[in-house]
Amino acid sequence: MNLKEIASKQIQDSIETKKAVLDTLLPQIEEAGKLASEVLEKGNMILFCGNGGSSCDASHIAAELVVRYKSGNERRALPALALNSDSAVLTACSNDYGYEFVFSRQVEAFGKPGDLLVGLSTSGNSKNVIAAMESAKKIGMKTISFLGGDGGKMKGMADLDLIIPRKETARIQESHILIGHILCSIVEYKLFQLG
């Protein structure tokens, strides 16, 4: 296989994955956008969490809400927070309690009834994201899971699951960020009538 074939195969795989998302997840994506919009419209906050690449996606989506999604869409900042962003909290909690609790501890600190937790896990088996989901439910928060493959242990834990029907991490993450962008676009449209 040459380099062109490697690149071509990945692009084709990405296109096929996004087509599968379009064919199977459109109603759930719309529902996620509505839920996020309702939470923010009521003055509540959205918390995001994930590990590795999903951590970066969590930060990316939160930033789009705090700053703005689309260039030219001037609007007020929206309350969104990526729980993977504070290195002091992450390392202190890992040291004192264990890495499994780095997100649930912050959900306890920042989450309120009516807030929304979005947990990203390509496998659906991330112990710290599972613990965060459990904490969010106890508080009375709404929950959305961005998952992949068969959904793993997290399938069915959230109010709404968005499960990318693929096993390859790269394709799942590409689709997660696409869905995150769509969610931000729906929020800007529903709250501010911005296209």
Side-chain angles (χ1 to χ4, degrees), residues 160-188:
L160 179 62
D161 289 333
L162 298 167
I163 304 173
I164 308 305
R166 292 293 184 270
K167 293 184 180 178
E168 189 175 350
T169 299
R171 302 295 84 85
I172 295 166
Q173 289 175 337
E174 290 165 4
S175 297
H176 282 175
I177 200 61
L178 172 64
I179 292 170
H181 280 163
I182 295 168
L183 185 143
C184 294
S185 186
I186 291 172
V187 165
E188 288 193 345

PDB file of all heavy atoms in Angstrom, residues 160-188:
ATOM      1  N   LEU A 160     -29.640  10.574  26.849  1.00  0.00           N
ATOM      2  CA  LEU A 160     -29.553  10.464  25.400  1.00  0.00           C
ATOM      3  C   LEU A 160     -28.167   9.959  25.024  1.00  0.00           C
ATOM      4  O   LEU A 160     -27.159  10.533  25.438  1.00  0.00           O
ATOM      5  CB  LEU A 160     -29.799  11.844  24.765  1.00  0.00           C
ATOM      6  CG  LEU A 160     -29.733  11.943  23.253  1.00  0.00           C
ATOM      7  CD1 LEU A 160     -30.803  11.080  22.599  1.00  0.00           C
ATOM      8  CD2 LEU A 160     -29.901  13.398  22.818  1.00  0.00           C
ATOM      9  N   ASP A 161     -28.111   8.869  24.262  1.00  0.00           N
ATOM     10  CA  ASP A 161     -26.850   8.318  23.751  1.00  0.00           C
ATOM     11  C   ASP A 161     -26.693   8.661  22.279  1.00  0.00           C
ATOM     12  O   ASP A 161     -27.642   8.501  21.504  1.00  0.00           O
ATOM     13  CB  ASP A 161     -26.828   6.786  23.876  1.00  0.00           C
ATOM     14  CG  ASP A 161     -26.702   6.291  25.295  1.00  0.00           C
ATOM     15  OD1 ASP A 161     -26.143   7.013  26.141  1.00  0.00           O
ATOM     16  OD2 ASP A 161     -27.159   5.156  25.558  1.00  0.00           O
ATOM     17  N   LEU A 162     -25.510   9.107  21.905  1.00  0.00           N
ATOM     18  CA  LEU A 162     -25.139   9.299  20.506  1.00  0.00           C
ATOM     19  C   LEU A 162     -24.000   8.317  20.234  1.00  0.00           C
ATOM     20  O   LEU A 162     -22.853   8.575  20.601  1.00  0.00           O
ATOM     21  CB  LEU A 162     -24.700  10.743  20.261  1.00  0.00           C
ATOM     22  CG  LEU A 162     -25.779  11.798  20.525  1.00  0.00           C
ATOM     23  CD1 LEU A 162     -25.187  13.186  20.564  1.00  0.00           C
ATOM     24  CD2 LEU A 162     -26.872  11.719  19.482  1.00  0.00           C
ATOM     25  N   ILE A 163     -24.335   7.178  19.637  1.00  0.00           N
ATOM     26  CA  ILE A 163     -23.367   6.097  19.462  1.00  0.00           C
ATOM     27  C   ILE A 163     -22.970   6.013  17.992  1.00  0.00           C
ATOM     28  O   ILE A 163     -23.793   5.690  17.132  1.00  0.00           O
ATOM     29  CB  ILE A 163     -23.945   4.743  19.935  1.00  0.00           C
ATOM     30  CG1 ILE A 163     -24.398   4.844  21.402  1.00  0.00           C
ATOM     31  CG2 ILE A 163     -22.896   3.643  19.764  1.00  0.00           C
ATOM     32  CD1 ILE A 163     -25.128   3.617  21.910  1.00  0.00           C
ATOM     33  N   ILE A 164     -21.695   6.289  17.715  1.00  0.00           N
ATOM     34  CA  ILE A 164     -21.183   6.206  16.351  1.00  0.00           C
ATOM     35  C   ILE A 164     -21.030   4.723  16.009  1.00  0.00           C
ATOM     36  O   ILE A 164     -20.324   3.994  16.703  1.00  0.00           O
ATOM     37  CB  ILE A 164     -19.825   6.929  16.220  1.00  0.00           C
ATOM     38  CG1 ILE A 164     -19.906   8.363  16.769  1.00  0.00           C
ATOM     39  CG2 ILE A 164     -19.342   6.912  14.766  1.00  0.00           C
ATOM     40  CD1 ILE A 164     -20.976   9.231  16.188  1.00  0.00           C
ATOM     41  N   PRO A 165     -21.671   4.259  14.930  1.00  0.00           N
ATOM     42  CA  PRO A 165     -21.671   2.824  14.625  1.00  0.00           C
ATOM     43  C   PRO A 165     -20.380   2.356  13.954  1.00  0.00           C
ATOM     44  O   PRO A 165     -20.392   1.788  12.872  1.00  0.00           O
ATOM     45  CB  PRO A 165     -22.887   2.679  13.707  1.00  0.00           C
ATOM     46  CG  PRO A 165     -22.964   3.988  12.986  1.00  0.00           C
ATOM     47  CD  PRO A 165     -22.503   5.022  13.986  1.00  0.00           C
ATOM     48  N   ARG A 166     -19.271   2.567  14.609  1.00  0.00           N
ATOM     49  CA  ARG A 166     -17.949   2.142  14.130  1.00  0.00           C
ATOM     50  C   ARG A 166     -17.090   1.758  15.326  1.00  0.00           C
ATOM     51  O   ARG A 166     -17.345   2.187  16.451  1.00  0.00           O
ATOM     52  CB  ARG A 166     -17.242   3.270  13.361  1.00  0.00           C
ATOM     53  CG  ARG A 166     -17.883   3.640  12.038  1.00  0.00           C
ATOM     54  CD  ARG A 166     -17.760   2.493  11.022  1.00  0.00           C
ATOM     55  NE  ARG A 166     -18.272   2.837   9.715  1.00  0.00           N
ATOM     56  CZ  ARG A 166     -19.521   2.664   9.313  1.00  0.00           C
ATOM     57  NH1 ARG A 166     -20.438   2.183  10.133  1.00  0.00           N
ATOM     58  NH2 ARG A 166     -19.887   2.974   8.084  1.00  0.00           N
ATOM     59  N   LYS A 167     -16.008   1.009  15.074  1.00  0.00           N
ATOM     60  CA  LYS A 167     -15.106   0.592  16.145  1.00  0.00           C
ATOM     61  C   LYS A 167     -13.790   1.366  16.155  1.00  0.00           C
ATOM     62  O   LYS A 167     -13.124   1.426  17.174  1.00  0.00           O
ATOM     63  CB  LYS A 167     -14.817  -0.905  16.036  1.00  0.00           C
ATOM     64  CG  LYS A 167     -16.037  -1.755  16.320  1.00  0.00           C
ATOM     65  CD  LYS A 167     -15.730  -3.222  16.298  1.00  0.00           C
ATOM     66  CE  LYS A 167     -17.002  -3.999  16.597  1.00  0.00           C
ATOM     67  NZ  LYS A 167     -16.811  -5.437  16.557  1.00  0.00           N
ATOM     68  N   GLU A 168     -13.423   1.970  15.039  1.00  0.00           N
ATOM     69  CA  GLU A 168     -12.134   2.650  14.949  1.00  0.00           C
ATOM     70  C   GLU A 168     -12.196   4.008  15.653  1.00  0.00           C
ATOM     71  O   GLU A 168     -13.020   4.865  15.321  1.00  0.00           O
ATOM     72  CB  GLU A 168     -11.730   2.836  13.484  1.00  0.00           C
ATOM     73  CG  GLU A 168     -10.319   3.335  13.340  1.00  0.00           C
ATOM     74  CD  GLU A 168      -9.875   3.417  11.891  1.00  0.00           C
ATOM     75  OE1 GLU A 168     -10.587   2.903  11.004  1.00  0.00           O
ATOM     76  OE2 GLU A 168      -8.822   4.014  11.657  1.00  0.00           O
ATOM     77  N   THR A 169     -11.297   4.183  16.628  1.00  0.00           N
ATOM     78  CA  THR A 169     -11.291   5.385  17.455  1.00  0.00           C
ATOM     79  C   THR A 169     -11.247   6.665  16.633  1.00  0.00           C
ATOM     80  O   THR A 169     -12.001   7.613  16.901  1.00  0.00           O
ATOM     81  CB  THR A 169     -10.104   5.346  18.435  1.00  0.00           C
ATOM     82  OG1 THR A 169     -10.248   4.194  19.280  1.00  0.00           O
ATOM     83  CG2 THR A 169     -10.054   6.591  19.302  1.00  0.00           C
ATOM     84  N   ALA A 170     -10.392   6.727  15.617  1.00  0.00           N
ATOM     85  CA  ALA A 170     -10.263   7.949  14.820  1.00  0.00           C
ATOM     86  C   ALA A 170     -11.585   8.328  14.166  1.00  0.00           C
ATOM     87  O   ALA A 170     -11.984   9.502  14.162  1.00  0.00           O
ATOM     88  CB  ALA A 170      -9.177   7.783  13.760  1.00  0.00           C
ATOM     89  N   ARG A 171     -12.286   7.358  13.599  1.00  0.00           N
ATOM     90  CA  ARG A 171     -13.556   7.648  12.933  1.00  0.00           C
ATOM     91  C   ARG A 171     -14.612   8.092  13.953  1.00  0.00           C
ATOM     92  O   ARG A 171     -15.434   8.972  13.687  1.00  0.00           O
ATOM     93  CB  ARG A 171     -14.068   6.424  12.159  1.00  0.00           C
ATOM     94  CG  ARG A 171     -13.139   5.859  11.094  1.00  0.00           C
ATOM     95  CD  ARG A 171     -12.867   6.788   9.923  1.00  0.00           C
ATOM     96  NE  ARG A 171     -11.832   7.750  10.137  1.00  0.00           N
ATOM     97  CZ  ARG A 171     -10.513   7.548   9.952  1.00  0.00           C
ATOM     98  NH1 ARG A 171     -10.065   6.386   9.570  1.00  0.00           N
ATOM     99  NH2 ARG A 171      -9.659   8.540  10.160  1.00  0.00           N
ATOM    100  N   ILE A 172     -14.606   7.477  15.127  1.00  0.00           N
ATOM    101  CA  ILE A 172     -15.556   7.848  16.179  1.00  0.00           C
ATOM    102  C   ILE A 172     -15.300   9.290  16.614  1.00  0.00           C
ATOM    103  O   ILE A 172     -16.224  10.101  16.700  1.00  0.00           O
ATOM    104  CB  ILE A 172     -15.444   6.886  17.381  1.00  0.00           C
ATOM    105  CG1 ILE A 172     -15.862   5.472  16.976  1.00  0.00           C
ATOM    106  CG2 ILE A 172     -16.298   7.381  18.550  1.00  0.00           C
ATOM    107  CD1 ILE A 172     -15.485   4.394  17.981  1.00  0.00           C
ATOM    108  N   GLN A 173     -14.026   9.631  16.856  1.00  0.00           N
ATOM    109  CA  GLN A 173     -13.707  10.985  17.308  1.00  0.00           C
ATOM    110  C   GLN A 173     -14.032  12.028  16.249  1.00  0.00           C
ATOM    111  O   GLN A 173     -14.513  13.121  16.579  1.00  0.00           O
ATOM    112  CB  GLN A 173     -12.236  11.074  17.725  1.00  0.00           C
ATOM    113  CG  GLN A 173     -11.969  10.325  19.020  1.00  0.00           C
ATOM    114  CD  GLN A 173     -10.503  10.287  19.385  1.00  0.00           C
ATOM    115  OE1 GLN A 173      -9.627  10.427  18.537  1.00  0.00           O
ATOM    116  NE2 GLN A 173     -10.237  10.091  20.667  1.00  0.00           N
ATOM    117  N   GLU A 174     -13.777  11.713  14.993  1.00  0.00           N
ATOM    118  CA  GLU A 174     -14.132  12.652  13.918  1.00  0.00           C
ATOM    119  C   GLU A 174     -15.636  12.923  13.917  1.00  0.00           C
ATOM    120  O   GLU A 174     -16.070  14.064  13.709  1.00  0.00           O
ATOM    121  CB  GLU A 174     -13.716  12.086  12.556  1.00  0.00           C
ATOM    122  CG  GLU A 174     -12.227  12.042  12.329  1.00  0.00           C
ATOM    123  CD  GLU A 174     -11.813  11.162  11.158  1.00  0.00           C
ATOM    124  OE1 GLU A 174     -12.696  10.616  10.452  1.00  0.00           O
ATOM    125  OE2 GLU A 174     -10.597  11.035  10.953  1.00  0.00           O
ATOM    126  N   SER A 175     -16.411  11.904  14.162  1.00  0.00           N
ATOM    127  CA  SER A 175     -17.860  12.062  14.182  1.00  0.00           C
ATOM    128  C   SER A 175     -18.325  12.777  15.446  1.00  0.00           C
ATOM    129  O   SER A 175     -19.283  13.556  15.409  1.00  0.00           O
ATOM    130  CB  SER A 175     -18.539  10.700  14.045  1.00  0.00           C
ATOM    131  OG  SER A 175     -18.206  10.129  12.793  1.00  0.00           O
ATOM    132  N   HIS A 176     -17.646  12.526  16.569  1.00  0.00           N
ATOM    133  CA  HIS A 176     -17.999  13.231  17.798  1.00  0.00           C
ATOM    134  C   HIS A 176     -17.820  14.736  17.642  1.00  0.00           C
ATOM    135  O   HIS A 176     -18.686  15.519  18.068  1.00  0.00           O
ATOM    136  CB  HIS A 176     -17.155  12.729  18.975  1.00  0.00           C
ATOM    137  CG  HIS A 176     -17.620  11.428  19.526  1.00  0.00           C
ATOM    138  ND1 HIS A 176     -16.942  10.756  20.529  1.00  0.00           N
ATOM    139  CD2 HIS A 176     -18.694  10.649  19.238  1.00  0.00           C
ATOM    140  CE1 HIS A 176     -17.577   9.638  20.824  1.00  0.00           C
ATOM    141  NE2 HIS A 176     -18.643   9.544  20.045  1.00  0.00           N
ATOM    142  N   ILE A 177     -16.708  15.158  17.049  1.00  0.00           N
ATOM    143  CA  ILE A 177     -16.494  16.598  16.902  1.00  0.00           C
ATOM    144  C   ILE A 177     -17.487  17.180  15.897  1.00  0.00           C
ATOM    145  O   ILE A 177     -17.965  18.310  16.075  1.00  0.00           O
ATOM    146  CB  ILE A 177     -15.024  16.945  16.580  1.00  0.00           C
ATOM    147  CG1 ILE A 177     -14.741  18.420  16.922  1.00  0.00           C
ATOM    148  CG2 ILE A 177     -14.653  16.656  15.157  1.00  0.00           C
ATOM    149  CD1 ILE A 177     -14.929  18.789  18.368  1.00  0.00           C
ATOM    150  N   LEU A 178     -17.844  16.430  14.867  1.00  0.00           N
ATOM    151  CA  LEU A 178     -18.881  16.886  13.939  1.00  0.00           C
ATOM    152  C   LEU A 178     -20.195  17.107  14.685  1.00  0.00           C
ATOM    153  O   LEU A 178     -20.841  18.154  14.539  1.00  0.00           O
ATOM    154  CB  LEU A 178     -19.076  15.871  12.810  1.00  0.00           C
ATOM    155  CG  LEU A 178     -20.259  16.130  11.875  1.00  0.00           C
ATOM    156  CD1 LEU A 178     -20.081  17.431  11.101  1.00  0.00           C
ATOM    157  CD2 LEU A 178     -20.450  14.950  10.933  1.00  0.00           C
ATOM    158  N   ILE A 179     -20.593  16.142  15.497  1.00  0.00           N
ATOM    159  CA  ILE A 179     -21.833  16.266  16.260  1.00  0.00           C
ATOM    160  C   ILE A 179     -21.730  17.427  17.247  1.00  0.00           C
ATOM    161  O   ILE A 179     -22.702  18.176  17.431  1.00  0.00           O
ATOM    162  CB  ILE A 179     -22.181  14.939  16.969  1.00  0.00           C
ATOM    163  CG1 ILE A 179     -22.545  13.878  15.921  1.00  0.00           C
ATOM    164  CG2 ILE A 179     -23.322  15.132  17.959  1.00  0.00           C
ATOM    165  CD1 ILE A 179     -22.661  12.466  16.483  1.00  0.00           C
ATOM    166  N   GLY A 180     -20.576  17.602  17.873  1.00  0.00           N
ATOM    167  CA  GLY A 180     -20.380  18.739  18.768  1.00  0.00           C
ATOM    168  C   GLY A 180     -20.568  20.061  18.049  1.00  0.00           C
ATOM    169  O   GLY A 180     -21.195  20.990  18.573  1.00  0.00           O
ATOM    170  N   HIS A 181     -20.047  20.156  16.831  1.00  0.00           N
ATOM    171  CA  HIS A 181     -20.221  21.374  16.033  1.00  0.00           C
ATOM    172  C   HIS A 181     -21.699  21.588  15.689  1.00  0.00           C
ATOM    173  O   HIS A 181     -22.198  22.722  15.743  1.00  0.00           O
ATOM    174  CB  HIS A 181     -19.395  21.294  14.756  1.00  0.00           C
ATOM    175  CG  HIS A 181     -17.956  21.605  14.954  1.00  0.00           C
ATOM    176  ND1 HIS A 181     -16.993  21.265  14.039  1.00  0.00           N
ATOM    177  CD2 HIS A 181     -17.299  22.243  15.955  1.00  0.00           C
ATOM    178  CE1 HIS A 181     -15.817  21.672  14.469  1.00  0.00           C
ATOM    179  NE2 HIS A 181     -15.984  22.265  15.631  1.00  0.00           N
ATOM    180  N   ILE A 182     -22.392  20.523  15.345  1.00  0.00           N
ATOM    181  CA  ILE A 182     -23.822  20.638  15.027  1.00  0.00           C
ATOM    182  C   ILE A 182     -24.587  21.101  16.262  1.00  0.00           C
ATOM    183  O   ILE A 182     -25.466  21.976  16.185  1.00  0.00           O
ATOM    184  CB  ILE A 182     -24.380  19.303  14.486  1.00  0.00           C
ATOM    185  CG1 ILE A 182     -23.728  18.950  13.148  1.00  0.00           C
ATOM    186  CG2 ILE A 182     -25.901  19.382  14.343  1.00  0.00           C
ATOM    187  CD1 ILE A 182     -23.988  17.529  12.682  1.00  0.00           C
ATOM    188  N   LEU A 183     -24.264  20.538  17.426  1.00  0.00           N
ATOM    189  CA  LEU A 183     -24.894  20.936  18.676  1.00  0.00           C
ATOM    190  C   LEU A 183     -24.720  22.442  18.895  1.00  0.00           C
ATOM    191  O   LEU A 183     -25.679  23.153  19.212  1.00  0.00           O
ATOM    192  CB  LEU A 183     -24.285  20.138  19.834  1.00  0.00           C
ATOM    193  CG  LEU A 183     -24.891  20.328  21.204  1.00  0.00           C
ATOM    194  CD1 LEU A 183     -24.899  19.003  21.947  1.00  0.00           C
ATOM    195  CD2 LEU A 183     -24.118  21.350  22.007  1.00  0.00           C
ATOM    196  N   CYS A 184     -23.497  22.956  18.693  1.00  0.00           N
ATOM    197  CA  CYS A 184     -23.233  24.395  18.857  1.00  0.00           C
ATOM    198  C   CYS A 184     -24.026  25.220  17.859  1.00  0.00           C
ATOM    199  O   CYS A 184     -24.553  26.293  18.192  1.00  0.00           O
ATOM    200  CB  CYS A 184     -21.740  24.680  18.707  1.00  0.00           C
ATOM    201  SG  CYS A 184     -20.719  23.967  20.009  1.00  0.00           S
ATOM    202  N   SER A 185     -24.131  24.732  16.635  1.00  0.00           N
ATOM    203  CA  SER A 185     -24.884  25.424  15.596  1.00  0.00           C
ATOM    204  C   SER A 185     -26.368  25.495  15.960  1.00  0.00           C
ATOM    205  O   SER A 185     -27.018  26.544  15.795  1.00  0.00           O
ATOM    206  CB  SER A 185     -24.695  24.706  14.258  1.00  0.00           C
ATOM    207  OG  SER A 185     -25.288  25.416  13.217  1.00  0.00           O
ATOM    208  N   ILE A 186     -26.916  24.406  16.472  1.00  0.00           N
ATOM    209  CA  ILE A 186     -28.316  24.387  16.901  1.00  0.00           C
ATOM    210  C   ILE A 186     -28.527  25.364  18.049  1.00  0.00           C
ATOM    211  O   ILE A 186     -29.504  26.124  18.071  1.00  0.00           O
ATOM    212  CB  ILE A 186     -28.759  22.957  17.288  1.00  0.00           C
ATOM    213  CG1 ILE A 186     -28.820  22.062  16.043  1.00  0.00           C
ATOM    214  CG2 ILE A 186     -30.115  22.984  18.001  1.00  0.00           C
ATOM    215  CD1 ILE A 186     -29.049  20.588  16.338  1.00  0.00           C
ATOM    216  N   VAL A 187     -27.616  25.383  19.009  1.00  0.00           N
ATOM    217  CA  VAL A 187     -27.717  26.311  20.145  1.00  0.00           C
ATOM    218  C   VAL A 187     -27.731  27.755  19.649  1.00  0.00           C
ATOM    219  O   VAL A 187     -28.578  28.560  20.075  1.00  0.00           O
ATOM    220  CB  VAL A 187     -26.563  26.083  21.149  1.00  0.00           C
ATOM    221  CG1 VAL A 187     -26.433  27.253  22.117  1.00  0.00           C
ATOM    222  CG2 VAL A 187     -26.771  24.772  21.906  1.00  0.00           C
ATOM    223  N   GLU A 188     -26.810  28.106  18.760  1.00  0.00           N
ATOM    224  CA  GLU A 188     -26.764  29.487  18.270  1.00  0.00           C
ATOM    225  C   GLU A 188     -28.025  29.846  17.482  1.00  0.00           C
ATOM    226  O   GLU A 188     -28.502  30.981  17.555  1.00  0.00           O
ATOM    227  CB  GLU A 188     -25.504  29.724  17.432  1.00  0.00           C
ATOM    228  CG  GLU A 188     -24.251  29.760  18.281  1.00  0.00           C
ATOM    229  CD  GLU A 188     -23.013  30.283  17.572  1.00  0.00           C
ATOM    230  OE1 GLU A 188     -23.005  30.372  16.322  1.00  0.00           O
ATOM    231  OE2 GLU A 188     -22.032  30.600  18.280  1.00  0.00           O
TER     232      GLU A 188
END
